[in-house]
Every structure is written in C-alpha cells, then in structure tokens.
Amino acid sequence: MRLDHIAIAVRSLDDALSFYMGVLGLTCVGRETVAEQGVHLALLPIGEGRLELLEPLSEDSPVGRFLTRRGEGLHHICFQVADIEGTLARLRAQGVRLIDEEPRCGAEGRKIAFLHPTSAHGVLIELVEVPKEEDRT
Ligand code: ZN
C-alpha cells in the first residue's frame, strides 16, 4: 500500500487554501465537486501523496455532520491498492468492519471504499484502486 492522500474537513475551502497555500506554500492543482460524497474538494500535492481539503456541500452530508460533531480537522487517510475488490474480500475475511461492502465511485472516477474507524484505531481509512499502469512512479 502507498499513501494516496490525507483528507482534512474544513468549513471553507477558500479560508483553508489561504493557510495551506498562502502560509505553508503548497500548490493547489485542482478543485472538484464530488456530489456522491457531498463535498467540494481541493487537491494539494505533498511528497508522494497529497492533501485533500474537504468542504461539505450541506450540513447533512457526511463531512457536514463531521464538522458539526467534531469541528475542523483530520477526516481520513487514503491508501492506494491495486485490486480493491480483492483487498476488501481479504479484510472482510480478517474481521475488519467495512463501511463500503462494495467499491463506489470517488473523485476522478476512481474506485474507493471506506473502512470503519473502529477497526483502524480511531482513523477513518479510505482505499482507492490505482491500477498498475496508472502508477505514479
Ligand atoms: Zn479521500
């Protein structure tokens, strides 16, 4: 597995970008709305991975509820896998609690699935399928 991104829930992308770009000096390479996940997101490469800033489209979206409950902060981390169906089957067999029993469509049309934080020591983990030919190395 390799790190794909670290996602941070924010109230306002513009406010967050003024810190992550203006103060920390990172570069935003894209902004996107992912209606299925109820978010506007901004992508900022760092090292081999990237930061993903998430602003909810509405208060009753998953990220909107997260902000209401816990405020801004680390939302999830995402690892790349070559075969997401195979990985989910292996994790299920090992007793890992899955949020998504089947992969769904995430940003950039990639297949994603979330594991429950109770199985990952309190961290929401996302898996994304990155077929070998798309490998960034
Ligand atoms: Zn993510």
Side-chain angles (χ1 to χ4, degrees), residues 14-129:
D14 291 328
D15 287 353
L17 286 171
S18 74
F19 173 74
Y20 284 97
M21 295 173 73
V23 179
L24 292 188
L26 301 179
T27 303
C28 177
V29 295
R31 290 174 71 148
E32 189 181 346
T33 298
V34 184
E36 273 204 32
Q37 291 182 59
V39 292
H40 294 301
L41 58 83
L43 303 170
L44 301 93
I46 181 162
E48 290 191 356
R50 60 195 187 183
L51 290 186
E52 201 178 86
L53 303 176
L54 306 175
E55 177 192 315
L57 296 178
S58 67
E59 276 186 21
D60 61 356
S61 64
V63 173
R65 288 193 296 272
F66 177 93
L67 283 175
T68 302
R69 223 169 42 240
R70 302 171 61 167
E72 293 186 309
L74 179 66
H75 186 264
H76 66 269
I77 59 178
C78 178
F79 300 119
Q80 299 178 354
V81 298
D83 169 14
I84 198 166
E85 275 94 354
T87 303
L88 288 176
R90 180 170 62 80
L91 294 174
R92 190 182 300 117
Q94 289 178 288
V96 173
R97 191 170 160 203
L98 306 178
I99 290 176
D100 297 304
E101 292 291 331
E102 300 294 335
R104 55 192 162 107
C105 188
E108 300 165 310
R110 301 190 300 176
K111 284 199 269 185
I112 63 161
F114 284 93
L115 315 182
H116 202 281
T118 55
S119 284
H121 300 265
V123 178
L124 179 61
I125 292 181
E126 176 183 12
L127 302 176
V128 61
E129 183 169 282

